[in-house]
Amino acid sequence: MATLGRNYCRMSAEAADRVAAVTSSRPSTPLQTSWFEFLLDASLLEKHLQKSNPDPTGVQLIIQFLEQASKPSLNEQNQVQPPADNRKNRTLKLLALKVAAYMKWDLDALEKGLTIPVLNMLLNELLCVSKVPAGVKHVDLDLSTLPPTTAMAVLIYNRWAIRTIVLSSFPEKQNKPGPHQMNMLSVVQQEKEMTDNILSVLKEQASDSISVLAGTLHLKKDFYVHTMRTLDLLAADTAAANGETESSTAGLRISANELHCQVHYDLGAIFFQQGCTDQPAFEKARDHFRQTKELLKKLDSTVHVHLDEERLAGYWNACKALTGDCDSCDSQTTHYDQINELLGARSYQAVVEAFVKDNVSRALPKHFRRSVLREVLYKAQQGEPGLDEVCRQLCLCNAVRDALEGEVLGVRFQQLLMKPSKRLVDFILEVCTRSLEKERSSEASRRNMATFMRTLCESLEELSLVFVVSSHKLFTELLKEEERKLLVEQMRKRSAAVNLSAKPLPSFYDIPASASVSVGQLEQQLILSLDPRRIRQILNELHDTADKPFWRVNSKWEIPPDYINVILAIKDNLTKDLVYILMAKGLHCVAIRDYAHARQLFSACLELVTEFSPRLRQVMLNELLLMEVRAHETAAADGGKERPPPDLVSRVRGYLEMRIRDLPLRQVVGEECVAFMLNWRENDYLTLQVPPSAVANNPYIKLGQLLASTCKELPGPKESRRTAKELWDVVVQICSVSVQHKRSNDGRVALIKQRDSSMGILHRSKLVTFVKKIREPLVLTTLISLFVRLHSIVRDDIVNEVTAEHLSIWPASLPNIQAVDVEAVAVTVKELVTYALTLNPNNQSWIITQADIYFATNQYSAALNLYLQAGGVASDFFTKAVPPDVYTDQVLKRMIKCCSMMNCHTQVAVLCQFLREVDYMTAFKALQEQNSHDAMDSFYDYIWDVTILEYLTHIHHKRGEGEKRQIAIKAIGQAELNTSNPEEVLQLAAQKRKKKFLQAMAKLYF
């Protein structure tokens, strides 16, 4: 056995030598580092990323780490559970963050390598580890008071949010489906679902993200972002790391100018994108891009500024053209402005002249010149007279410019030479001569022009035109005599010209083209056109030239998933394309509130589908109804008071009562119809006349019926508790999550909440979206009241309880409080109140509720601002006494605490007098404080309580503050404060001081 062992060892060694010899004789590909190796060795990640070409790359590692961390687990019953919150998954998420930190949070690089869902997950994890307060909207945070790395995490997330919105608006080239990928529902819809959900949330919160970034521009201090080191400290010991990561010097320093430059650029991009539907937004974009350009000049280095300066220049020039702004300091911009002004004034010959001169100076980029040609061509296609010749001349100017730079001549120029006239050839020669100034032309330009003249001769079929070119002075100057003779001889020997065009061309854009060019031009017209007849005509022409589905031409044409199968089932390809495109364009017009074009497109589609499909006919009737409802609601939101016509109300009722089998229905139609009925107080119909089957099958109708019933009872002498209890149960169910018990490794039983459960009749996010379509104040007040009560019960915090109207109609307790998602309830309350105040900023009850919310989350400055707003609204900006039902003792005590927490102790003392029973103890304690952050003695004129004034004189005397003591004595010596005065005089003196004090506070906090 021992001998066998020795022989085996010797053989193994020999085999190993042979393998080593073989492998050393050829280079081997290094093995890719696997994701789990980074879990085993903490130092490996940085070493790996420092390699010149790491494999996998940084973004690939982020994807691998987050993919592993988000894998669902299985319990003992093989049921799918959400990803476990264990050490391994936390470490994986931290590793992903460390990679992003190594990349210095470069959003350009992250966006190129990561999909929207992955980047969303990464940045949400950054918010989590940076301790951004949960349940508080970013727009409500005061970034100046947050730790530097926390504030920076908020900024990075909101920058990504608006950048993603902008990038999603750019056209994308669609992948061509293969033979087995024709089922668009299963391929396109499933792939886009998660991204679309994230985009819809980002777009809903776009205004908040813009506000957060705009607020950043007021902060003048440097910023700090997490590095691999600060993230390691967080992982090592959270308690010990907080102090360092929250200090003013932890992390990677980013100067205020660098961050402001980047934020200005991002804000400019989002405002530019919004300018398509909101013209004044272009002016905001222009101002932000101007600030970006100015800051770029100030920066010595742009290590942390990641922006495309060419795109910035393009944005800047576009904004200037769209806003009519002119900057004489920028020579290149002056050329743009000149061309844009000429186009605006329809001085087209002057534009041609400017292009000829630019062939010498070459100040205008070629892409800009081509865009001018496209714009004039589009105007010609729309029927503006006299532009055919201008289009030809601009095309020739661009061709000469291309020739001078040695580039390939465009298709349009080649088409013009198919049947040229002497006038056209003379113009070409004139442009060539003026574009090649002898003093300034380089040898390369002269060689290129000679090549162009030769090409021109070879392209002309008529010998008479060839001789016009060959006898021109420029031709003889540029080509040698031998070259000229050889070329003319070739032209003479050439066979008779072939007439490629049997008849003269009526207009520039009717010039014959190759099939691919014609299809491309028609597709462009198809994308731009909103005329149903023209769309049908274009599709007829396209189907004559190519056999393919043209509804895929533009990736932005989107049809609701509910309708896709019905439309794609249409057998005739032309009809399928037409129905799809008419509906997609109509939906887009509705989205941008262009209801006139939407009505035309939907009506044409309705007329078309009526001929062959009753189902699609009803679909189009539903979409027309939704469009009319939105048009009327938009007018009402803009201040219109006119009630909807009876015909529209009748159609809405018909839709809510409609029951057609196998008819694809969009939830949003029913949702907006119910909101429409609530907004116009059709409570009797919703309460008494809606069919029970409709209530049972449509969650929005059920919700609308309960809201209508509850609101209908509220104004009466007895508040209905039965309908209110039903509404309460429905909403509580919506805000509840499934609760499961799970035993942890240490044997303890913990609760796990499934946030994605759908226990209610609809999801919470859909409820919020529905509520944001409601404008009726009583309905909003009822919902706010319900959520405030629910919020109070689940928080169980009597001291910081939020108040609202009609709280007494709701239950005072919950049987299963553990099932309610506390965070979701808190967020919903804030969203509802914020939305309600956008409709009516002067509603006292809503203002007080929002103030209470800020108070409960320790945002004392914002809370005090709103308490003062409520008082100002109720008293005509404090020219009258604030009603006691607005400034209750509870509200006043909260105002007192707000002032106290902000170290405004003199204001505390003044407010203590407002209470029904003056709180001397709190007032005296406040006046003892010496680090007051308010104006102290300037508020003494607002104190009318003699006891407090006497205490002030005592305090100042004791401290040796003679001047302040004299001010207090002067205040106490006023005749109207004499305690011997009649009660009416004392009350008048108190009211006078109350008004002045509140007006002074308003000036401070508004």
Side-chain angles (χ1 to χ4, degrees):
M1 285 293 292
T3 306
L4 180 62
R6 286 193 298 272
N7 292 337
Y8 177 78
C9 291
R10 185 169 62 252
M11 289 172 63
S12 298
E14 291 169 357
D17 290 340
R18 286 197 303 273
V19 171
V22 172
T23 55
S24 61
S25 64
R26 65 177 186 271
S28 60
T29 303
L31 292 175
Q32 188 182 66
T33 310
S34 193
W35 61 269
F36 62 83
E37 295 180 52
F38 298 101
L39 286 173
L40 305 175
D41 183 357
S43 63
L44 180 60
L45 181 61
E46 190 166 4
K47 295 175 185 175
H48 176 80
L49 293 173
Q50 286 172 348
K51 295 177 183 177
S52 57
N53 292 304
D55 184 22
T57 63
V59 290
Q60 289 171 340
L61 280 176
I62 291 174
I63 294 170
Q64 291 176 18
F65 291 149
L66 293 181
E67 182 183 2
Q68 294 300 324
S70 58
K71 277 188 176 179
S73 57
L74 294 176
N75 62 11
E76 295 173 356
Q77 289 79 32
N78 282 332
Q79 295 174 332
V80 178
Q81 300 292 308
D85 184 18
N86 53 30
R87 183 180 176 186
K88 173 194 164 187
N89 285 345
R90 286 194 297 271
T91 305
L92 284 167
K93 291 175 184 177
L94 192 69
L95 286 170
L97 290 174
K98 287 172 70 176
V99 176
Y102 183 84
M103 298 169 69
K104 297 182 179 177
W105 304 100
D106 180 358
L107 288 179
D108 279 341
L110 292 172
E111 287 164 347
K112 286 176 184 175
L114 303 177
T115 62
I116 289 176
V118 173
L119 196 42
N120 180 59
M121 185 177 178
L122 177 74
L123 295 182
N124 273 292
E125 191 60 31
L126 173 64
L127 295 175
C128 183
V129 301
S130 301
K131 296 183 173 54
V132 174
V136 179
K137 295 175 75 172
H138 291 178
V139 73
D140 295 333
L141 295 171
D142 184 357
L143 297 185
S144 63
T145 62
L146 293 177
T149 50
T150 305
M152 197 62 193
V154 173
L155 295 182
I156 290 173
Y157 179 85
N158 286 281
R159 277 191 54 223
W160 168 75
I162 64 172
R163 286 165 62 98
T164 303
I165 294 170
V166 172
L167 289 172
S168 71
S169 68
F170 294 162
E172 299 172 355
K173 184 176 181 181
Q174 273 196 325
N175 295 325
K176 292 184 179 179
H180 304 293
Q181 293 180 323
M182 295 308 291
N183 188 346
M184 300 303 292
L185 180 63
S186 61
V187 176
V188 178
Q189 292 302 135
Q190 290 179 7
E191 287 179 358
K192 289 176 60 179
E193 185 176 355
M194 186 177 294
T195 299
D196 287 347
N197 288 340
I198 294 171
L199 278 174
S200 65
V201 173
L202 295 180
K203 288 175 182 176
E204 278 184 20
Q205 300 173 351
S207 58
D208 287 353
S209 293
I210 291 171
S211 298
V212 170
L213 296 182
T216 308
L217 301 175
H218 301 300
L219 303 177
K220 304 303 180 186
K221 62 181 182 180
D222 290 344
F223 294 80
Y224 294 84
V225 67
H226 275 302
T227 60
M228 297 182 79
R229 176 175 168 276
T230 59
L231 290 169
D232 274 332
L233 289 170
L234 283 173
D237 184 359
T238 305
N242 280 349
E244 181 164 354
T245 56
E246 294 182 5
S247 74
S248 60
T249 56
L252 177 66
R253 187 180 75 85
I254 299 175
S255 70
N257 279 347
E258 284 180 305
L259 188 69
H260 288 176
C261 180
Q262 189 71 66
V263 169
H264 275 301
Y265 178 77
D266 293 336
L267 286 174
I270 188 72
F271 282 128
F272 188 88
Q273 187 248 349
Q274 292 176 350
C276 300
T277 53
D278 179 20
Q279 188 69 21
F282 284 127
E283 296 181 6
K284 297 180 184 176
R286 177 200 61 201
D287 294 339
H288 282 293
F289 288 133
R290 178 184 286 120
Q291 292 289 335
T292 306
K293 287 161 64 73
E294 291 175 0
L295 286 170
L296 272 175
K297 293 175 184 175
K298 293 180 183 177
L299 295 174
D300 297 328
S301 65
T302 56
V303 177
H304 305 300
V305 178
H306 304 284
L307 56 86
D308 184 342
E309 294 195 38
E310 288 187 6
R311 184 178 288 273
L312 172 62
Y315 272 135
W316 173 242
N317 292 323
C319 287
K320 288 169 65 60
L322 291 164
T323 59
D325 187 32
C326 185
D327 184 1
S328 58
C329 300
D330 190 340
S331 59
Q332 189 187 46
T333 313
T334 304
H335 294 297
Y336 283 112
D337 292 336
Q338 180 189 4
I339 299 296
N340 286 316
E341 287 173 12
L342 293 173
L343 287 172
R346 290 188 166 87
S347 301
Y348 297 115
Q349 284 305 319
V351 175
V352 174
E353 183 65 22
F355 270 36
V356 174
K357 292 179 179 177
D358 185 66
N359 281 352
V360 178
S361 63
R362 303 183 195 178
L364 292 172
K366 285 178 291 188
H367 64 79
F368 176 74
R369 292 169 58 118
R370 286 193 285 266
S371 72
V372 172
L373 172 59
R374 284 195 296 270
E375 183 176 344
V376 178
L377 177 59
Y378 177 73
K379 290 180 179 179
Q381 290 173 335
Q382 297 302 309
E384 190 170 330
L387 292 186
D388 291 342
E389 183 65 22
V390 174
C391 290
R392 281 191 279 271
Q393 291 176 349
L394 290 175
C395 179
L396 295 172
C397 290
N398 285 347
V400 173
R401 168 72 177 271
D402 290 339
L404 284 168
E405 296 183 358
E407 294 197 0
V408 178
L409 299 175
V411 174
R412 295 186 189 279
F413 176 73
Q414 302 288 358
Q415 291 172 344
L416 283 174
L417 294 184
M418 286 182 174
K419 191 166 181 68
S421 63
K422 184 176 183 302
R423 181 180 175 184
L424 184 138
V425 173
D426 286 340
F427 182 79
I428 294 175
L429 294 172
E430 179 191 349
V431 174
C432 291
T433 304
R434 294 178 57 189
S435 301
L436 199 68
E437 290 188 356
K438 294 180 181 178
E439 296 81 6
R440 298 178 59 181
S441 58
S442 64
E443 186 60 35
S445 296
R446 295 178 66 81
R447 281 199 308 273
N448 291 335
M449 183 59 76
T451 304
F452 175 71
M453 299 296 283
R454 190 182 301 112
T455 303
L456 182 60
C457 283
E458 293 170 349
S459 302
L460 295 171
E461 299 292 340
E462 295 185 23
L463 285 178
S464 60
L465 295 178
V466 173
F467 288 130
V468 169
V469 176
S470 61
S471 60
H472 194 272
K473 181 181 177 182
L474 185 63
F475 184 87
T476 58
E477 287 179 357
L478 294 177
L479 275 76
K480 297 177 182 177
E481 186 176 356
E482 295 79 9
E483 290 178 316
R484 294 198 304 271
K485 287 180 179 179
L486 180 62
L487 185 61
V488 171
E489 188 63 29
Q490 288 175 350
M491 294 298 103
R492 282 178 173 169
K493 290 180 179 179
R494 196 169 59 185
S495 59
V498 179
N499 187 4
L500 296 178
S501 180
K503 58 181 180 179
L505 303 177
S507 65
F508 176 76
Y509 50 87
D510 286 332
I511 294 172
S514 65
S516 60
V517 174
S518 297
V519 170
Q521 290 172 345
L522 287 170
E523 286 180 350
Q524 183 185 23
Q525 293 177 37
L526 183 64
I527 291 171
L528 296 174
S529 180
L530 290 175
D531 179 6
R533 291 182 180 275
R534 180 62 183 147
I535 291 170
R536 186 165 196 159
Q537 180 185 356
I538 294 168
L539 281 172
N540 280 327
E541 295 179 37
L542 284 169
H543 276 272
D544 287 342
T545 58
D547 183 19
K548 68 174 187 177
F550 290 99
W551 57 270
R552 296 197 191 116
V553 165
N554 187 355
S555 64
K556 296 299 177 185
W557 288 340
E558 293 185 349
I559 293 294
D562 313 83
Y563 301 157
I564 283 184
N565 281 338
V566 183
I567 294 175
L568 295 186
I570 298 173
K571 294 181 180 179
D572 181 66
N573 290 333
L574 174 60
T575 307
K576 183 193 302 180
D577 285 346
L578 188 54
V579 171
Y580 190 102
I581 292 170
L582 288 174
M583 182 181 285
K585 283 177 175 281
L587 290 168
H588 174 71
C589 289
V590 171
I592 63 173
R593 299 185 177 184
D594 183 0
Y595 298 114
H597 278 116
R599 193 174 288 109
Q600 291 177 11
L601 291 159
F602 282 158
S603 299
C605 194
L606 174 63
E607 182 182 350
L608 175 65
V609 299
T610 300
E611 300 173 2
F612 64 88
S613 174
R615 292 173 70 198
L616 278 174
R617 177 181 179 276
Q618 190 58 55
V619 164
M620 291 314 306
L621 286 172
N622 294 345
E623 290 300 321
L624 271 166
L625 173 62
L626 177 61
M627 185 269 299
E628 297 291 357
V629 166
R630 283 188 176 173
H632 202 276
E633 288 296 288
T634 301
D638 292 340
K641 301 294 183 184
E642 184 180 350
R643 282 191 62 81
D647 172 63
L648 181 57
V649 176
S650 175
R651 287 166 61 195
V652 170
R653 291 183 177 188
Y655 177 83
L656 294 178
E657 297 170 11
M658 180 179 62
R659 287 292 165 266
I660 301 177
R661 293 186 62 187
D662 300 328
L663 179 68
L665 295 174
R666 280 212 293 160
Q667 283 275 16
V668 69
V669 185
E671 175 187 356
E672 299 212 14
C673 284
V674 173
F676 174 84
M677 300 296 273
L678 287 171
N679 287 337
W680 294 103
R681 304 180 189 88
E682 294 285 337
N683 292 341
D684 286 341
Y685 172 78
L686 288 171
T687 306
L688 303 173
Q689 299 175 35
V690 135
S693 60
V695 177
N697 294 324
N698 192 320
Y700 295 106
I701 297 178
K702 181 175 180 63
L703 195 59
Q705 185 184 67
L706 291 173
L707 281 167
S709 301
T710 305
C711 293
K712 192 177 173 185
E713 299 292 337
L714 278 178
K718 290 186 178 180
E719 294 175 329
S720 172
R721 293 181 182 272
R722 185 182 62 80
T723 54
K725 178 65 167 62
E726 288 183 34
L727 179 61
W728 170 270
D729 290 339
V730 166
V731 172
V732 168
Q733 200 75 1
I734 290 172
C735 294
S736 296
V737 290
S738 61
V739 177
Q740 297 180 1
H741 295 272
K742 182 180 178 182
R743 189 172 299 279
S744 58
N745 295 332
D746 58 2
R748 291 182 298 178
V749 175
L751 288 178
I752 298 177
K753 292 187 177 182
Q754 292 280 112
R755 290 192 176 274
D756 60 346
S757 69
S758 54
M759 294 178 64
I761 59 175
L762 44 77
H763 286 282
R764 186 198 68 87
S765 61
K766 292 185 177 179
L767 170 64
V768 174
T769 303
F770 169 67
V771 174
K772 288 184 178 180
K773 292 179 170 68
I774 297 173
R775 293 177 293 98
E776 171 56 31
L778 186 57
V779 177
L780 290 172
T781 298
T782 302
L783 280 166
I784 289 170
S785 170
L786 187 157
F787 273 97
V788 165
R789 168 64 83 186
L790 184 57
H791 182 258
S792 298
I793 292 173
V794 295
R795 275 179 59 93
D796 193 22
D797 184 359
I798 298 174
V799 176
N800 294 323
E801 203 167 70
V802 181
T803 58
E805 292 182 279
H806 310 304
L807 288 177
S808 61
I809 68 173
W810 311 113
S813 60
L814 278 174
N816 188 14
I817 196 169
Q818 290 180 331
V820 179
D821 189 337
V822 182
E823 185 179 329
V825 173
V827 170
T828 306
V829 171
K830 294 173 189 174
E831 286 190 64
L832 294 189
V833 179
T834 303
Y835 166 70
L837 285 171
T838 62
L839 299 177
N840 181 8
N842 295 328
N843 187 300
Q844 300 159 23
S845 171
W846 297 345
I847 296 174
I848 292 288
T849 301
Q850 190 171 49
D852 287 345
I853 292 170
Y854 282 127
F855 182 85
T857 53
N858 303 329
Q859 298 180 73
Y860 298 112
S861 177
L864 184 58
N865 175 294
L866 287 163
Y867 287 132
L868 289 167
Q869 277 189 41
V873 166
S875 62
D876 292 338
F877 196 71
F878 306 116
T879 56
K880 304 173 185 175
V882 180
D885 60 331
V886 176
Y887 275 0
T888 61
D889 269 11
Q890 180 180 352
V891 170
L892 291 169
K893 286 178 180 177
R894 291 186 171 186
M895 292 172 71
I896 289 169
K897 182 174 180 180
C898 289
C899 292
S900 177
M901 297 304 293
M902 294 187 291
N903 290 330
C904 298
H905 300 295
T906 316
Q907 296 171 15
V908 170
V910 177
L911 283 169
C912 284
Q913 304 171 107
F914 283 60
L915 297 167
R916 291 181 184 177
E917 297 290 334
V918 179
D919 188 352
Y920 290 113
M921 185 176 294
T922 302
F924 292 166
K925 185 178 178 183
L927 293 173
Q928 289 173 6
E929 297 285 347
Q930 290 185 287
N931 64 334
S932 188
H933 292 173
D934 54 22
M936 295 186 70
D937 49 358
S938 67
F939 286 108
Y940 291 176
D941 286 338
Y942 306 128
I943 300 175
W944 64 86
D945 188 282
V946 176
T947 306
I948 293 176
L949 286 170
E950 288 175 344
Y951 185 79
L952 267 175
T953 58
H954 166 69
I955 285 288
H956 290 314
H957 175 71
K958 188 176 179 181
R959 293 176 184 164
E961 298 168 342
E963 288 185 17
K964 292 182 179 180
R965 180 172 178 270
Q966 287 302 317
I967 295 171
I969 291 172
K970 183 181 177 182
I972 204 172
Q974 296 175 84
E976 57 188 355
L977 297 184
N978 192 321
T979 52
S980 301
N981 288 337
E983 185 64 25
E984 294 81 5
V985 174
L986 294 174
Q987 285 295 328
L988 192 62
Q991 289 300 330
K992 175 184 171 184
R993 284 161 176 76
K994 280 183 180 181
K995 293 175 188 176
K996 288 186 176 180
F997 172 71
L998 291 172
Q999 287 173 353
M1001 291 284 282
K1003 289 177 183 177
L1004 280 175
Y1005 291 100
F1006 281 5

